[in-house]
Amino acid sequence: EKKNTKPNNFKKILREQGPKALAKAMREHSNTMLTDTTMRDAHQSLLATRMRTHDLLKAAKATNAAFNSADIFSLEVWGGATFDVSMNFLRECPWKRLEELDEAAPDML
């Protein structure tokens, strides 16, 4: 029988029980799980990957709040030239960006 685990609990499962438990919870989940690509695709396609971390963080907090009750499984925040642009054009640390996004959207994978 399929379970209806809230998507925002998946990150908690991963952190507390590990990847095998997450995979099991995903297989048992009865609803479609969605990944929001706005932070990666809009940022990359529409804004030439030039959004600074502090701007993404403002969006991440609101996104986490809005998606906390929705069936959003994860956020896609990385792709293509993101690493290169972060370092070479924006002069930001790409690893720090990921850590800060993770803190700003604590319920999203």
Side-chain angles (χ1 to χ4, degrees):
E1 178 179 313
K2 296 276 186 176
K3 294 179 184 176
N4 193 9
T5 305
K6 282 185 71 174
N8 60 7
N9 290 334
F10 286 125
K11 190 169 190 178
K12 183 178 180 182
I13 292 169
L14 176 62
R15 287 196 169 153
E16 293 178 1
Q17 301 173 39
K20 287 184 180 181
L22 173 63
K24 181 178 186 284
M26 289 171 63
R27 285 190 303 271
E28 293 175 349
H29 187 69
S30 61
N31 294 340
T32 301
M33 294 183 288
L34 303 173
T35 296
D36 180 270
T37 63
T38 306
M39 285 197 183
R40 197 257 330 140
D41 189 44
H43 164 60
Q44 192 170 358
S45 301
L46 301 175
L47 302 171
T49 322
R50 298 306 194 264
M51 277 186 81
R52 297 200 172 273
T53 300
H54 71 270
D55 295 318
L56 290 171
L57 291 174
K58 291 176 191 174
K61 290 175 185 175
T63 300
N64 188 70
F67 290 168
N68 205 9
S69 62
D71 236 5
I72 301 297
F73 171 68
S74 63
L75 297 175
E76 184 179 333
V77 298
W78 203 259
T82 310
F83 185 90
D84 174 56
V85 169
S86 180
M87 289 186 67
N88 294 318
F89 293 99
L90 301 177
R91 303 287 188 236
E92 296 181 344
C93 175
W95 307 120
K96 185 175 179 191
R97 172 183 279 198
L98 288 176
E99 289 173 354
E100 290 178 354
L101 285 169
D102 184 54
E103 290 173 13
D107 300 320
M108 298 290 119
L109 279 172

